[in-house]
């Protein structure tokens, strides 16, 4: 995923956390912020240390990015943050995909 599709700076993360709405299921939490005049979506991914060591956290982030890459055409031009809960490291890719799609539907990011 290209850098233009990522929320990278701390103040951008904080803006989404403070001004956005949150939605959750058992595996993920998603914060979304309404459109700010951009042409495409931007996503921030957060995987905490409770998920595992650096290797495990990076694997979870790669899986999340892969799912979002598949859904790229369905995502509206908004900022959102995906937070992985500790139980996500044990999930196979297909189950992670279905859980992420579920929470994105709850957040009304995809239909």
């Amino acid at each position: 995923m290209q850098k233009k599709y990522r929320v990278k700076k701390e103040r951008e993360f904080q803006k989404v956390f403070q001004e956005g709405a949150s939605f959750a299921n058992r595996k993920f939490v998603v914060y979304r912020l309404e459109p700010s005049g951009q042409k495409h979506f931007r996503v921030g991914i957060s995987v905490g240390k409770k998920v595992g060591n650096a290797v495990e956290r990076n694997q979870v982030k790669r899986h999340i990015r892969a799912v979002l890459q598949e859904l790229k055409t369905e995502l509206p031009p908004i900022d959102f943050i995906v937070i992985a809960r500790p139980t996500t490291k044990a999930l196979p890719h297909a189950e992670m995909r279905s859980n992420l799609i579920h929470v994105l539907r709850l957040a009304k990011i995809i239909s």
Side-chain angles (χ1 to χ4, degrees):
M1 189 174 303
Q2 297 174 1
K3 284 191 179 184
K4 67 181 180 179
Y5 291 107
R6 295 188 191 169
V7 175
K8 294 291 279 182
K9 296 181 180 171
E10 177 67 21
R11 65 183 152 87
E12 294 172 341
F13 265 85
Q14 290 305 318
K15 183 176 181 184
V16 175
F17 284 135
Q18 291 169 1
E19 298 176 17
S22 68
F23 303 88
N25 64 10
R26 292 184 176 171
K27 305 297 180 188
F28 297 100
V29 178
V30 171
Y31 285 84
R32 67 171 280 168
L33 185 63
E34 290 304 316
S36 58
Q38 58 205 27
K39 296 179 183 176
H40 52 78
F41 72 93
R42 292 189 320 154
V43 63
I45 300 172
S46 177
V47 181
K49 287 187 178 181
K50 287 184 180 181
V51 173
N53 62 24
V55 173
E56 293 169 329
R57 292 192 308 266
N58 287 331
Q59 285 175 341
V60 170
K61 284 190 259 187
R62 278 196 299 273
H63 284 296
I64 293 170
R65 277 192 217 109
V67 171
L68 292 173
Q69 188 68 31
E70 294 170 12
L71 300 172
K72 187 176 175 179
T73 58
E74 298 178 43
L75 297 171
I78 64 170
D79 289 350
F80 64 99
I81 295 175
V82 177
I83 301 171
R85 291 192 166 160
T87 55
T88 56
K89 74 177 178 182
L91 294 178
H93 181 74
E95 196 171 334
M96 188 176 292
R97 183 180 193 278
S98 67
N99 277 293
L100 189 55
I101 288 173
H102 174 257
V103 77
L104 291 174
R105 284 194 174 128
L106 285 176
K108 293 184 174 66
I109 294 174
I110 60 174
S111 54

